């Protein structure tokens, strides 16, 4: 049950406000109700927001928390003056002091996606996403030479979400390839991967956690049995050690942590924004 409502208000998509706000809220042990209100770009819309926020305050008996990335000063004033809430203006907190320090005006763009579709980076990112989807779970061995990174590991060890995160967040062409019993019997990497060894990064996972994940998909199957999971994980890790492949355990790590570790090892220059 949530104990308080948090609003993320923006004249753009609201993703920046929500991302930043969630990073701050993660420091506190509570689960608020999240409400994102995007495209609040007129005074009329701002007044509607004020009514919604104040209604929530009355219904819950506690002040909501409001994170904003509003650029329009008139719209922001309506929110700040009318809302019975704790209002945190992220642009006012960070951008304006930087304008003073840097002795220059910011662009005051509405959201971080303004005109993004016209940029080369955007098109590269779309291309990377398409590549990663086409090379998910070993679907295709074509164009592997164009991959920035190839993730290997047993089924359900986190390869797919990590590949897509690397593509969407960093524009990396990330292929992923499952290690299967046939590979363990041959005691070597799949032939399609051998020429691209320097691009390979391995993911592993604790067998107990793997069994839990697999049981959600195929309950009471050999695929999900703990003994089978232990065998597959042990064989996969042994192969990675033999082949000199860099690898990490995904058991207790978030997708963001996994991706950052891979970038540090494979493409450290991509950590530069």
């Amino acid at each position: 049950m949530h104990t308080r409502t948090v609003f993320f208000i923006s004249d753009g998509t609201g993703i920046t406000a929500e991302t930043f706000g969630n990073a701050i809220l993660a420091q506190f042990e509570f689960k608020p109700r999240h409400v994102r209100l995007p495209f609040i770009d007129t005074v009329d819309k701002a007044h509607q927001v004020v009514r919604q926020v104040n209604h929530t305050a009355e219904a819950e008996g506690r002040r909501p928390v409001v994170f904003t990335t509003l650029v329009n000063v008139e719209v922001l004033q309506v929110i700040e003056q009318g809302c019975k809430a704790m209002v945190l203006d992220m642009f006012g907190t960070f951008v304006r002091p930087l304008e003073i320090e840097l002795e220059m005006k910011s662009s005051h763009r509405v959201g971080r996606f303004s005109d993004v579709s016209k940029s080369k980076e955007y098109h590269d990112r779309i291309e990377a996403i398409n590549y990663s989807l086409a090379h998910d779970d070993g679907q295709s061995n074509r164009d592997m030479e164009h991959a920035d990174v190839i993730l290997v590991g047993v089924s359900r060890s986190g390869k797919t979400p990590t590949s897509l995160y690397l593509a969407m967040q960093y524009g990396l062409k990330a292929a992923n390839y499952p290690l299967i019993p046939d590979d363990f019997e041959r005691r070597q990497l799949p032939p399609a991967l051998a020429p691209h060894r320097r691009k390979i990064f391995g993911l592993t996972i604790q067998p107990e956690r793997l069994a839990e994940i697999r049981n959600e998909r195929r309950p009471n199957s050999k695929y999900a049995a703990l003994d089978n999971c232990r065998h597959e994980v042990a064989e996969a890790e042994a192969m990675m050690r033999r082949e000199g492949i860099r690898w990490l355990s995904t058991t207790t790590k978030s997708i963001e942590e996994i991706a950052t570790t891979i970038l540090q090892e494979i493409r450290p220059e991509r950590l530069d924004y």
Side-chain angles (χ1 to χ4, degrees), residues 3 12 30 59 72 75 77 86 125 149 203 237 249 255 269:
T3 58
F30 82 119
N72 187 301
V75 172
Q77 284 178 345
M86 179 186 185
R125 188 170 299 178
V149 61
L203 300 183
E237 291 181 358
S249 173
I255 297 297
E269 75 280 2

Side-chain angles (χ1 to χ4, degrees), residues 105-124:
K105 282 288 184 181
S106 71
S107 63
H108 280 234
R109 290 187 306 162
V110 178
R112 60 177 177 150
F113 300 105
S114 301
D115 298 325
V116 71
S117 62
K118 299 177 183 177
S119 70
K120 181 180 182 299
E121 290 79 6
Y122 181 80
H123 290 289
D124 288 346

